[in-house]
Amino acid sequence: QVNVVESGGGLVQAGGSLRLSCAASGSIFGSIFSINVMGWYRQPPGKQRELVATITRGGSTNYADSVKGRFTISRDNAKNTVVLQMNSLKPEDTAVYYCNADIMGFGYWGQGTQVTVSS
């Protein structure tokens, strides 16, 4: 069983910063696992889930145009963690943010963490 847990969400004013963390733990078939791609996605109220940023095990990153220059994704392979540093937050960034970990070709999702940006 693999558990993916996000933390760090909350309420912040426009222009502020927030740091989201995600950790994958557990085992698959009784053995420790390795993660290929890890990423962050978000679902604004009334909208579909969308890509925010991804990062490969080798460190290659990809960002949605809406967050480029403001958000930074990073990971620690040894700890199976991924972090999303969010700066210059805007009200339109308000959403439930989800962490995803690709393990053996299957994507494992966290429960989501709420980020609310007020004006």
Side-chain angles (χ1 to χ4, degrees):
Q1 182 178 352
V2 177
N3 295 314
V4 179
V5 180
E6 305 98 334
S7 62
L11 175 64
V12 65
Q13 291 185 315
S17 298
L18 210 58
R19 184 175 185 270
L20 304 183
S21 297
C22 172
S25 62
S27 65
I28 300 177
F29 308 128
S31 301
I32 191 170
F33 56 82
S34 61
I35 306 173
N36 184 16
V37 180
M38 298 189 75
W40 287 96
Y41 299 75
R42 68 186 183 187
Q43 186 167 8
K47 300 179 66 177
Q48 298 297 311
R49 187 174 299 182
E50 64 186 26
L51 168 73
V52 176
T54 61
I55 183 169
T56 68
R57 186 174 182 83
S60 179
T61 59
N62 181 48
Y63 296 92
D65 289 339
S66 59
V67 306
K68 287 182 179 178
R70 299 189 298 120
F71 293 8
T72 302
I73 188 171
S74 61
R75 66 184 288 175
D76 186 327
N77 294 331
K79 298 179 180 179
N80 288 330
T81 60
V82 61
V83 169
L84 184 69
Q85 178 66 47
M86 305 185 295
N87 300 322
S88 301
L89 284 163
K90 306 174 181 179
E92 49 263 45
D93 293 320
T94 295
V96 177
Y97 284 70
Y98 297 91
C99 177
N100 180 270
D102 178 32
I103 304 172
M104 299 178 66
F106 186 85
Y108 292 83
W109 293 93
Q111 82 288 347
T113 184
Q114 177 69 49
V115 172
T116 302
V117 184
S118 65
S119 59

